[in-house]
Amino acid sequence: MTVPASSGVPILRLGDVLVTGLLDELDDKAAMAFTEELTERIVADRATGVLIDISRLELVDSFVARILMELATTARLLGAHVIVAGMRPAVAITLVELGLELPGVETALNAEQGMAALGWQRNPPSKAAGREAAHAPWR
């Protein structure tokens, strides 16, 4: 039995959402391993959402753009909604200049907005907190 190669990219589970991020440029082998790991985790964890944070990437080439498109398509086929968060302005400009599009890839300005789009709230309101806030004096 062979063990699949690991991409070294952490994939965290928060409820039914998987959160991951590309910290550095991935070579072809690591990118393929990441794609395989993430799709296997979507199925194993029954994830309904995936957040991929790319805020640390300084540039995105056609290979990384293709990987993101393929991940979004594969995840949708497996029943998960994918959001790519944290694209830097320089990365967006480069994609436009290269004529690269990311069809089917939903984006968010940052991870917090991406998680909100997947149905997560930063601080879920509680009934007690709501009552306290309603009666709290203005400061």
Side-chain angles (χ1 to χ4, degrees), residues 29-79:
K29 185 177 179 181
M32 297 310 288
F34 172 64
T35 300
E36 187 174 330
E37 285 176 51
L38 187 55
T39 54
E40 287 176 2
R41 287 286 304 274
I42 290 169
V43 173
D45 295 342
R46 296 181 179 175
T48 61
V50 177
L51 178 81
I52 303 173
D53 185 351
I54 63 167
S55 61
R56 302 270 316 249
L57 291 182
E58 303 252 346
L59 48 105
V60 171
D61 59 12
S62 60
F63 177 71
V64 173
R66 183 174 57 98
I67 292 296
L68 291 173
M69 286 186 310
E70 289 175 1
L71 276 170
T73 301
T74 302
R76 264 196 320 275
L77 290 172
L78 296 172

mmCIF file of all heavy atoms in Angstrom, residues 29-79:
data_model
loop_
_atom_site.group_PDB
_atom_site.id
_atom_site.type_symbol
_atom_site.label_atom_id
_atom_site.label_comp_id
_atom_site.label_asym_id
_atom_site.label_seq_id
_atom_site.Cartn_x
_atom_site.Cartn_y
_atom_site.Cartn_z
ATOM 1 N N LYS A 29 4.258 19.085 -8.199
ATOM 2 C CA LYS A 29 4.014 17.889 -7.395
ATOM 3 C C LYS A 29 3.218 18.234 -6.127
ATOM 4 O O LYS A 29 2.251 17.558 -5.785
ATOM 5 C CB LYS A 29 5.348 17.240 -7.023
ATOM 6 C CG LYS A 29 5.222 15.932 -6.300
ATOM 7 C CD LYS A 29 6.594 15.312 -6.042
ATOM 8 C CE LYS A 29 6.465 14.012 -5.298
ATOM 9 N NZ LYS A 29 7.774 13.410 -5.030
ATOM 10 N N ALA A 30 3.616 19.305 -5.436
ATOM 11 C CA ALA A 30 2.920 19.713 -4.211
ATOM 12 C C ALA A 30 1.502 20.185 -4.526
ATOM 13 O O ALA A 30 0.572 19.922 -3.769
ATOM 14 C CB ALA A 30 3.699 20.811 -3.493
ATOM 15 N N ALA A 31 1.316 20.869 -5.655
ATOM 16 C CA ALA A 31 -0.010 21.343 -6.036
ATOM 17 C C ALA A 31 -0.950 20.172 -6.311
ATOM 18 O O ALA A 31 -2.114 20.187 -5.906
ATOM 19 C CB ALA A 31 0.074 22.248 -7.259
ATOM 20 N N MET A 32 -0.449 19.161 -6.984
ATOM 21 C CA MET A 32 -1.280 17.991 -7.265
ATOM 22 C C MET A 32 -1.603 17.248 -5.966
ATOM 23 O O MET A 32 -2.725 16.782 -5.771
ATOM 24 C CB MET A 32 -0.586 17.071 -8.266
ATOM 25 C CG MET A 32 -0.354 17.724 -9.634
ATOM 26 S SD MET A 32 -1.811 18.521 -10.336
ATOM 27 C CE MET A 32 -2.780 17.120 -10.770
ATOM 28 N N ALA A 33 -0.634 17.153 -5.064
ATOM 29 C CA ALA A 33 -0.864 16.501 -3.774
ATOM 30 C C ALA A 33 -1.895 17.291 -2.963
ATOM 31 O O ALA A 33 -2.774 16.705 -2.334
ATOM 32 C CB ALA A 33 0.446 16.372 -2.996
ATOM 33 N N PHE A 34 -1.797 18.623 -2.982
ATOM 34 C CA PHE A 34 -2.756 19.479 -2.271
ATOM 35 C C PHE A 34 -4.162 19.270 -2.820
ATOM 36 O O PHE A 34 -5.124 19.124 -2.056
ATOM 37 C CB PHE A 34 -2.338 20.950 -2.399
ATOM 38 C CG PHE A 34 -3.347 21.915 -1.860
ATOM 39 C CD1 PHE A 34 -3.682 21.927 -0.514
ATOM 40 C CD2 PHE A 34 -3.968 22.828 -2.703
ATOM 41 C CE1 PHE A 34 -4.612 22.827 -0.010
ATOM 42 C CE2 PHE A 34 -4.896 23.731 -2.203
ATOM 43 C CZ PHE A 34 -5.218 23.726 -0.863
ATOM 44 N N THR A 35 -4.298 19.242 -4.136
ATOM 45 C CA THR A 35 -5.598 19.027 -4.768
ATOM 46 C C THR A 35 -6.192 17.694 -4.330
ATOM 47 O O THR A 35 -7.368 17.610 -3.961
ATOM 48 C CB THR A 35 -5.462 19.071 -6.307
ATOM 49 O OG1 THR A 35 -4.951 20.345 -6.680
ATOM 50 C CG2 THR A 35 -6.791 18.842 -6.995
ATOM 51 N N GLU A 36 -5.382 16.664 -4.335
ATOM 52 C CA GLU A 36 -5.857 15.337 -3.938
ATOM 53 C C GLU A 36 -6.242 15.302 -2.460
ATOM 54 O O GLU A 36 -7.297 14.787 -2.093
ATOM 55 C CB GLU A 36 -4.776 14.289 -4.221
ATOM 56 C CG GLU A 36 -5.243 12.874 -3.989
ATOM 57 C CD GLU A 36 -4.209 11.845 -4.409
ATOM 58 O OE1 GLU A 36 -3.421 12.109 -5.335
ATOM 59 O OE2 GLU A 36 -4.197 10.768 -3.785
ATOM 60 N N GLU A 37 -5.384 15.875 -1.609
ATOM 61 C CA GLU A 37 -5.678 15.915 -0.164
ATOM 62 C C GLU A 37 -6.985 16.654 0.116
ATOM 63 O O GLU A 37 -7.817 16.193 0.895
ATOM 64 C CB GLU A 37 -4.564 16.632 0.595
ATOM 65 C CG GLU A 37 -3.294 15.851 0.771
ATOM 66 C CD GLU A 37 -2.232 16.704 1.456
ATOM 67 O OE1 GLU A 37 -2.523 17.296 2.518
ATOM 68 O OE2 GLU A 37 -1.120 16.787 0.910
ATOM 69 N N LEU A 38 -7.152 17.812 -0.504
ATOM 70 C CA LEU A 38 -8.329 18.631 -0.233
ATOM 71 C C LEU A 38 -9.598 17.932 -0.708
ATOM 72 O O LEU A 38 -10.596 17.906 0.014
ATOM 73 C CB LEU A 38 -8.190 20.008 -0.877
ATOM 74 C CG LEU A 38 -9.280 21.023 -0.541
ATOM 75 C CD1 LEU A 38 -9.435 21.212 0.960
ATOM 76 C CD2 LEU A 38 -8.990 22.347 -1.222
ATOM 77 N N THR A 39 -9.573 17.346 -1.884
ATOM 78 C CA THR A 39 -10.774 16.669 -2.373
ATOM 79 C C THR A 39 -11.101 15.443 -1.522
ATOM 80 O O THR A 39 -12.272 15.179 -1.242
ATOM 81 C CB THR A 39 -10.653 16.283 -3.860
ATOM 82 O OG1 THR A 39 -9.469 15.517 -4.064
ATOM 83 C CG2 THR A 39 -10.611 17.509 -4.740
ATOM 84 N N GLU A 40 -10.084 14.738 -1.058
ATOM 85 C CA GLU A 40 -10.330 13.598 -0.172
ATOM 86 C C GLU A 40 -10.919 14.055 1.157
ATOM 87 O O GLU A 40 -11.815 13.420 1.704
ATOM 88 C CB GLU A 40 -9.044 12.802 0.055
ATOM 89 C CG GLU A 40 -8.630 11.991 -1.154
ATOM 90 C CD GLU A 40 -7.298 11.274 -0.982
ATOM 91 O OE1 GLU A 40 -6.694 11.363 0.114
ATOM 92 O OE2 GLU A 40 -6.870 10.632 -1.942
ATOM 93 N N ARG A 41 -10.437 15.178 1.671
ATOM 94 C CA ARG A 41 -10.968 15.714 2.934
ATOM 95 C C ARG A 41 -12.403 16.196 2.777
ATOM 96 O O ARG A 41 -13.206 16.059 3.697
ATOM 97 C CB ARG A 41 -10.088 16.861 3.433
ATOM 98 C CG ARG A 41 -8.746 16.452 3.995
ATOM 99 C CD ARG A 41 -8.861 15.801 5.374
ATOM 100 N NE ARG A 41 -9.539 16.632 6.359
ATOM 101 C CZ ARG A 41 -8.948 17.550 7.112
ATOM 102 N NH1 ARG A 41 -7.658 17.757 7.030
ATOM 103 N NH2 ARG A 41 -9.659 18.257 7.994
ATOM 104 N N ILE A 42 -12.747 16.770 1.623
ATOM 105 C CA ILE A 42 -14.131 17.215 1.397
ATOM 106 C C ILE A 42 -15.072 16.034 1.561
ATOM 107 O O ILE A 42 -16.094 16.132 2.234
ATOM 108 C CB ILE A 42 -14.284 17.865 0.002
ATOM 109 C CG1 ILE A 42 -13.567 19.215 -0.035
ATOM 110 C CG2 ILE A 42 -15.763 18.019 -0.364
ATOM 111 C CD1 ILE A 42 -13.443 19.813 -1.422
ATOM 112 N N VAL A 43 -14.693 14.909 0.972
ATOM 113 C CA VAL A 43 -15.538 13.713 1.051
ATOM 114 C C VAL A 43 -15.513 13.126 2.460
ATOM 115 O O VAL A 43 -16.563 12.871 3.055
ATOM 116 C CB VAL A 43 -15.092 12.662 0.015
ATOM 117 C CG1 VAL A 43 -15.837 11.351 0.207
ATOM 118 C CG2 VAL A 43 -15.290 13.192 -1.399
ATOM 119 N N ALA A 44 -14.318 12.944 3.018
ATOM 120 C CA ALA A 44 -14.192 12.304 4.328
ATOM 121 C C ALA A 44 -14.868 13.110 5.430
ATOM 122 O O ALA A 44 -15.500 12.543 6.324
ATOM 123 C CB ALA A 44 -12.719 12.090 4.670
ATOM 124 N N ASP A 45 -14.754 14.428 5.369
ATOM 125 C CA ASP A 45 -15.326 15.301 6.402
ATOM 126 C C ASP A 45 -16.734 15.783 6.070
ATOM 127 O O ASP A 45 -17.316 16.547 6.838
ATOM 128 C CB ASP A 45 -14.421 16.516 6.635
ATOM 129 C CG ASP A 45 -13.072 16.140 7.207
ATOM 130 O OD1 ASP A 45 -12.936 15.031 7.746
ATOM 131 O OD2 ASP A 45 -12.145 16.964 7.108
ATOM 132 N N ARG A 46 -17.234 15.382 4.908
ATOM 133 C CA ARG A 46 -18.560 15.820 4.442
ATOM 134 C C ARG A 46 -18.684 17.339 4.493
ATOM 135 O O ARG A 46 -19.681 17.900 4.970
ATOM 136 C CB ARG A 46 -19.666 15.159 5.242
ATOM 137 C CG ARG A 46 -19.690 13.664 5.071
ATOM 138 C CD ARG A 46 -20.803 13.039 5.836
ATOM 139 N NE ARG A 46 -20.785 11.587 5.602
ATOM 140 C CZ ARG A 46 -21.577 10.754 6.203
ATOM 141 N NH1 ARG A 46 -22.456 11.195 7.074
ATOM 142 N NH2 ARG A 46 -21.521 9.473 5.949
ATOM 143 N N ALA A 47 -17.642 18.000 4.014
ATOM 144 C CA ALA A 47 -17.592 19.461 4.047
ATOM 145 C C ALA A 47 -18.588 20.067 3.066
ATOM 146 O O ALA A 47 -18.755 19.576 1.953
ATOM 147 C CB ALA A 47 -16.183 19.938 3.707
ATOM 148 N N THR A 48 -19.248 21.127 3.495
ATOM 149 C CA THR A 48 -20.158 21.854 2.616
ATOM 150 C C THR A 48 -19.529 23.158 2.130
ATOM 151 O O THR A 48 -20.069 23.816 1.248
ATOM 152 C CB THR A 48 -21.480 22.176 3.320
ATOM 153 O OG1 THR A 48 -21.203 22.992 4.458
ATOM 154 C CG2 THR A 48 -22.198 20.905 3.729
ATOM 155 N N GLY A 49 -18.402 23.531 2.733
ATOM 156 C CA GLY A 49 -17.712 24.749 2.340
ATOM 157 C C GLY A 49 -16.212 24.589 2.459
ATOM 158 O O GLY A 49 -15.727 23.816 3.283
ATOM 159 N N VAL A 50 -15.491 25.324 1.600
ATOM 160 C CA VAL A 50 -14.032 25.323 1.628
ATOM 161 C C VAL A 50 -13.566 26.761 1.454
ATOM 162 O O VAL A 50 -13.991 27.448 0.523
ATOM 163 C CB VAL A 50 -13.427 24.456 0.493
ATOM 164 C CG1 VAL A 50 -11.913 24.531 0.501
ATOM 165 C CG2 VAL A 50 -13.906 23.021 0.595
ATOM 166 N N LEU A 51 -12.712 27.208 2.367
ATOM 167 C CA LEU A 51 -12.103 28.529 2.262
ATOM 168 C C LEU A 51 -10.621 28.329 1.970
ATOM 169 O O LEU A 51 -9.926 27.652 2.730
ATOM 170 C CB LEU A 51 -12.268 29.320 3.559
ATOM 171 C CG LEU A 51 -11.610 30.698 3.512
ATOM 172 C CD1 LEU A 51 -12.516 31.682 2.798
ATOM 173 C CD2 LEU A 51 -11.290 31.186 4.900
ATOM 174 N N ILE A 52 -10.157 28.913 0.864
ATOM 175 C CA ILE A 52 -8.738 28.858 0.510
ATOM 176 C C ILE A 52 -8.199 30.278 0.602
ATOM 177 O O ILE A 52 -8.562 31.147 -0.190
ATOM 178 C CB ILE A 52 -8.523 28.292 -0.906
ATOM 179 C CG1 ILE A 52 -9.146 26.904 -1.029
ATOM 180 C CG2 ILE A 52 -7.028 28.247 -1.239
ATOM 181 C CD1 ILE A 52 -9.134 26.331 -2.441
ATOM 182 N N ASP A 53 -7.344 30.512 1.584
ATOM 183 C CA ASP A 53 -6.767 31.840 1.800
ATOM 184 C C ASP A 53 -5.474 31.938 0.992
ATOM 185 O O ASP A 53 -4.548 31.157 1.194
ATOM 186 C CB ASP A 53 -6.482 32.031 3.292
ATOM 187 C CG ASP A 53 -5.986 33.422 3.625
ATOM 188 O OD1 ASP A 53 -5.689 34.210 2.702
ATOM 189 O OD2 ASP A 53 -5.887 33.727 4.819
ATOM 190 N N ILE A 54 -5.425 32.920 0.089
ATOM 191 C CA ILE A 54 -4.220 33.105 -0.729
ATOM 192 C C ILE A 54 -3.545 34.442 -0.430
ATOM 193 O O ILE A 54 -2.758 34.941 -1.231
ATOM 194 C CB ILE A 54 -4.521 32.975 -2.240
ATOM 195 C CG1 ILE A 54 -5.479 34.058 -2.716
ATOM 196 C CG2 ILE A 54 -5.042 31.589 -2.572
ATOM 197 C CD1 ILE A 54 -5.574 34.172 -4.229
ATOM 198 N N SER A 55 -3.832 35.012 0.730
ATOM 199 C CA SER A 55 -3.311 36.341 1.067
ATOM 200 C C SER A 55 -1.792 36.384 1.162
ATOM 201 O O SER A 55 -1.198 37.447 1.040
ATOM 202 C CB SER A 55 -3.933 36.855 2.364
ATOM 203 O OG SER A 55 -3.628 35.992 3.444
ATOM 204 N N ARG A 56 -1.156 35.250 1.370
ATOM 205 C CA ARG A 56 0.309 35.235 1.470
ATOM 206 C C ARG A 56 0.991 35.116 0.107
ATOM 207 O O ARG A 56 2.206 35.299 0.007
ATOM 208 C CB ARG A 56 0.757 34.069 2.351
ATOM 209 C CG ARG A 56 0.204 34.077 3.753
ATOM 210 C CD ARG A 56 1.037 34.815 4.770
ATOM 211 N NE ARG A 56 2.444 34.581 4.708
ATOM 212 C CZ ARG A 56 3.163 33.931 5.592
ATOM 213 N NH1 ARG A 56 2.578 33.407 6.650
ATOM 214 N NH2 ARG A 56 4.468 33.818 5.468
ATOM 215 N N LEU A 57 0.221 34.793 -0.932
ATOM 216 C CA LEU A 57 0.822 34.644 -2.258
ATOM 217 C C LEU A 57 1.106 36.010 -2.865
ATOM 218 O O LEU A 57 0.230 36.856 -2.944
ATOM 219 C CB LEU A 57 -0.103 33.866 -3.198
ATOM 220 C CG LEU A 57 -0.304 32.396 -2.899
ATOM 221 C CD1 LEU A 57 -1.205 31.776 -3.965
ATOM 222 C CD2 LEU A 57 1.014 31.652 -2.830
ATOM 223 N N GLU A 58 2.337 36.196 -3.271
ATOM 224 C CA GLU A 58 2.731 37.457 -3.889
ATOM 225 C C GLU A 58 2.358 37.484 -5.364
ATOM 226 O O GLU A 58 2.113 38.533 -5.926
ATOM 227 C CB GLU A 58 4.243 37.660 -3.729
ATOM 228 C CG GLU A 58 4.683 37.637 -2.283
ATOM 229 C CD GLU A 58 5.072 38.982 -1.766
ATOM 230 O OE1 GLU A 58 5.266 39.892 -2.571
ATOM 231 O OE2 GLU A 58 5.182 39.101 -0.543
ATOM 232 N N LEU A 59 2.346 36.321 -6.001
ATOM 233 C CA LEU A 59 1.930 36.246 -7.392
ATOM 234 C C LEU A 59 1.273 34.914 -7.684
ATOM 235 O O LEU A 59 1.524 33.920 -7.017
ATOM 236 C CB LEU A 59 3.090 36.495 -8.363
ATOM 237 C CG LEU A 59 4.403 35.772 -8.149
ATOM 238 C CD1 LEU A 59 4.574 34.659 -9.147
ATOM 239 C CD2 LEU A 59 5.510 36.786 -8.340
ATOM 240 N N VAL A 60 0.388 34.947 -8.659
ATOM 241 C CA VAL A 60 -0.309 33.748 -9.085
ATOM 242 C C VAL A 60 -0.082 33.618 -10.579
ATOM 243 O O VAL A 60 -0.362 34.540 -11.337
ATOM 244 C CB VAL A 60 -1.821 33.843 -8.782
ATOM 245 C CG1 VAL A 60 -2.580 32.692 -9.408
ATOM 246 C CG2 VAL A 60 -2.055 33.875 -7.283
ATOM 247 N N ASP A 61 0.463 32.479 -10.980
ATOM 248 C CA ASP A 61 0.692 32.255 -12.403
ATOM 249 C C ASP A 61 -0.449 31.415 -12.969
ATOM 250 O O ASP A 61 -1.405 31.076 -12.279
ATOM 251 C CB ASP A 61 2.047 31.594 -12.641
ATOM 252 C CG ASP A 61 2.195 30.256 -11.934
ATOM 253 O OD1 ASP A 61 1.180 29.717 -11.436
ATOM 254 O OD2 ASP A 61 3.324 29.743 -11.884
ATOM 255 N N SER A 62 -0.344 31.085 -14.251
ATOM 256 C CA SER A 62 -1.420 30.343 -14.903
ATOM 257 C C SER A 62 -1.603 28.964 -14.281
ATOM 258 O O SER A 62 -2.714 28.448 -14.214
ATOM 259 C CB SER A 62 -1.158 30.221 -16.403
ATOM 260 O OG SER A 62 0.065 29.547 -16.635
ATOM 261 N N PHE A 63 -0.529 28.364 -13.770
ATOM 262 C CA PHE A 63 -0.624 27.038 -13.153
ATOM 263 C C PHE A 63 -1.457 27.112 -11.868
ATOM 264 O O PHE A 63 -2.375 26.322 -11.665
ATOM 265 C CB PHE A 63 0.765 26.479 -12.863
ATOM 266 C CG PHE A 63 0.731 25.152 -12.157
ATOM 267 C CD1 PHE A 63 0.324 24.011 -12.813
ATOM 268 C CD2 PHE A 63 1.086 25.062 -10.829
ATOM 269 C CE1 PHE A 63 0.272 22.782 -12.165
ATOM 270 C CE2 PHE A 63 1.044 23.849 -10.159
ATOM 271 C CZ PHE A 63 0.635 22.702 -10.835
ATOM 272 N N VAL A 64 -1.153 28.066 -10.994
ATOM 273 C CA VAL A 64 -1.898 28.207 -9.740
ATOM 274 C C VAL A 64 -3.353 28.589 -10.034
ATOM 275 O O VAL A 64 -4.267 28.077 -9.392
ATOM 276 C CB VAL A 64 -1.229 29.244 -8.803
ATOM 277 C CG1 VAL A 64 -2.080 29.509 -7.577
ATOM 278 C CG2 VAL A 64 0.155 28.763 -8.391
ATOM 279 N N ALA A 65 -3.572 29.450 -11.019
ATOM 280 C CA ALA A 65 -4.936 29.816 -11.404
ATOM 281 C C ALA A 65 -5.707 28.575 -11.858
ATOM 282 O O ALA A 65 -6.871 28.382 -11.481
ATOM 283 C CB ALA A 65 -4.916 30.866 -12.514
ATOM 284 N N ARG A 66 -5.068 27.713 -12.631
ATOM 285 C CA ARG A 66 -5.720 26.490 -13.102
ATOM 286 C C ARG A 66 -6.037 25.564 -11.938
ATOM 287 O O ARG A 66 -7.120 24.984 -11.862
ATOM 288 C CB ARG A 66 -4.832 25.767 -14.120
ATOM 289 C CG ARG A 66 -5.491 24.526 -14.713
ATOM 290 C CD ARG A 66 -4.639 23.926 -15.812
ATOM 291 N NE ARG A 66 -3.308 23.597 -15.343
ATOM 292 C CZ ARG A 66 -2.936 22.378 -14.959
ATOM 293 N NH1 ARG A 66 -3.782 21.382 -14.974
ATOM 294 N NH2 ARG A 66 -1.699 22.162 -14.554
ATOM 295 N N ILE A 67 -5.112 25.445 -10.978
ATOM 296 C CA ILE A 67 -5.340 24.606 -9.789
ATOM 297 C C ILE A 67 -6.554 25.117 -9.010
ATOM 298 O O ILE A 67 -7.408 24.349 -8.594
ATOM 299 C CB ILE A 67 -4.086 24.570 -8.886
ATOM 300 C CG1 ILE A 67 -2.951 23.819 -9.573
ATOM 301 C CG2 ILE A 67 -4.398 23.971 -7.526
ATOM 302 C CD1 ILE A 67 -3.220 22.357 -9.833
ATOM 303 N N LEU A 68 -6.651 26.442 -8.824
ATOM 304 C CA LEU A 68 -7.787 27.020 -8.100
ATOM 305 C C LEU A 68 -9.104 26.752 -8.830
ATOM 306 O O LEU A 68 -10.109 26.414 -8.206
ATOM 307 C CB LEU A 68 -7.585 28.519 -7.883
ATOM 308 C CG LEU A 68 -6.470 28.908 -6.913
ATOM 309 C CD1 LEU A 68 -6.263 30.413 -6.926
ATOM 310 C CD2 LEU A 68 -6.764 28.410 -5.511
ATOM 311 N N MET A 69 -9.102 26.880 -10.171
ATOM 312 C CA MET A 69 -10.314 26.597 -10.943
ATOM 313 C C MET A 69 -10.701 25.129 -10.825
ATOM 314 O O MET A 69 -11.880 24.809 -10.636
ATOM 315 C CB MET A 69 -10.106 26.955 -12.419
ATOM 316 C CG MET A 69 -10.106 28.431 -12.693
ATOM 317 S SD MET A 69 -10.026 28.838 -14.459
ATOM 318 C CE MET A 69 -8.664 27.849 -15.038
ATOM 319 N N GLU A 70 -9.728 24.248 -10.933
ATOM 320 C CA GLU A 70 -10.014 22.818 -10.841
ATOM 321 C C GLU A 70 -10.523 22.443 -9.451
ATOM 322 O O GLU A 70 -11.444 21.628 -9.327
ATOM 323 C CB GLU A 70 -8.773 21.998 -11.202
ATOM 324 C CG GLU A 70 -8.425 22.041 -12.671
ATOM 325 C CD GLU A 70 -7.129 21.327 -13.003
ATOM 326 O OE1 GLU A 70 -6.472 20.767 -12.097
ATOM 327 O OE2 GLU A 70 -6.759 21.339 -14.191
ATOM 328 N N LEU A 71 -9.923 23.027 -8.416
ATOM 329 C CA LEU A 71 -10.393 22.760 -7.057
ATOM 330 C C LEU A 71 -11.838 23.212 -6.873
ATOM 331 O O LEU A 71 -12.648 22.505 -6.282
ATOM 332 C CB LEU A 71 -9.504 23.457 -6.027
ATOM 333 C CG LEU A 71 -8.246 22.719 -5.619
ATOM 334 C CD1 LEU A 71 -7.344 23.624 -4.791
ATOM 335 C CD2 LEU A 71 -8.594 21.466 -4.853
ATOM 336 N N ALA A 72 -12.159 24.401 -7.375
ATOM 337 C CA ALA A 72 -13.525 24.915 -7.235
ATOM 338 C C ALA A 72 -14.518 24.020 -7.966
ATOM 339 O O ALA A 72 -15.589 23.698 -7.430
ATOM 340 C CB ALA A 72 -13.600 26.345 -7.767
ATOM 341 N N THR A 73 -14.164 23.592 -9.161
ATOM 342 C CA THR A 73 -15.052 22.724 -9.944
ATOM 343 C C THR A 73 -15.225 21.372 -9.265
ATOM 344 O O THR A 73 -16.347 20.876 -9.112
ATOM 345 C CB THR A 73 -14.506 22.547 -11.367
ATOM 346 O OG1 THR A 73 -14.397 23.827 -11.979
ATOM 347 C CG2 THR A 73 -15.421 21.664 -12.200
ATOM 348 N N THR A 74 -14.128 20.777 -8.830
ATOM 349 C CA THR A 74 -14.181 19.475 -8.173
ATOM 350 C C THR A 74 -14.993 19.551 -6.889
ATOM 351 O O THR A 74 -15.832 18.694 -6.616
ATOM 352 C CB THR A 74 -12.756 18.961 -7.871
ATOM 353 O OG1 THR A 74 -12.023 18.892 -9.100
ATOM 354 C CG2 THR A 74 -12.785 17.589 -7.232
ATOM 355 N N ALA A 75 -14.748 20.582 -6.091
ATOM 356 C CA ALA A 75 -15.473 20.741 -4.828
ATOM 357 C C ALA A 75 -16.967 20.891 -5.076
ATOM 358 O O ALA A 75 -17.784 20.307 -4.368
ATOM 359 C CB ALA A 75 -14.930 21.941 -4.059
ATOM 360 N N ARG A 76 -17.341 21.697 -6.092
ATOM 361 C CA ARG A 76 -18.764 21.854 -6.419
ATOM 362 C C ARG A 76 -19.388 20.514 -6.784
ATOM 363 O O ARG A 76 -20.508 20.207 -6.379
ATOM 364 C CB ARG A 76 -18.939 22.842 -7.577
ATOM 365 C CG ARG A 76 -19.229 24.243 -7.141
ATOM 366 C CD ARG A 76 -19.775 25.128 -8.255
ATOM 367 N NE ARG A 76 -19.160 24.939 -9.555
ATOM 368 C CZ ARG A 76 -18.035 25.528 -9.969
ATOM 369 N NH1 ARG A 76 -17.377 26.324 -9.166
ATOM 370 N NH2 ARG A 76 -17.568 25.320 -11.175
ATOM 371 N N LEU A 77 -18.671 19.702 -7.556
ATOM 372 C CA LEU A 77 -19.184 18.382 -7.930
ATOM 373 C C LEU A 77 -19.361 17.488 -6.706
ATOM 374 O O LEU A 77 -20.197 16.590 -6.696
ATOM 375 C CB LEU A 77 -18.252 17.713 -8.940
ATOM 376 C CG LEU A 77 -18.240 18.353 -10.333
ATOM 377 C CD1 LEU A 77 -17.134 17.743 -11.185
ATOM 378 C CD2 LEU A 77 -19.593 18.192 -11.013
ATOM 379 N N LEU A 78 -18.557 17.753 -5.661
ATOM 380 C CA LEU A 78 -18.651 16.979 -4.422
ATOM 381 C C LEU A 78 -19.607 17.619 -3.417
ATOM 382 O O LEU A 78 -19.737 17.147 -2.295
ATOM 383 C CB LEU A 78 -17.259 16.824 -3.796
ATOM 384 C CG LEU A 78 -16.251 16.019 -4.629
ATOM 385 C CD1 LEU A 78 -14.865 16.093 -4.005
ATOM 386 C CD2 LEU A 78 -16.713 14.575 -4.790
ATOM 387 N N GLY A 79 -20.260 18.705 -3.803
ATOM 388 C CA GLY A 79 -21.262 19.333 -2.950
ATOM 389 C C GLY A 79 -20.744 20.405 -2.014
ATOM 390 O O GLY A 79 -21.432 20.791 -1.072
#
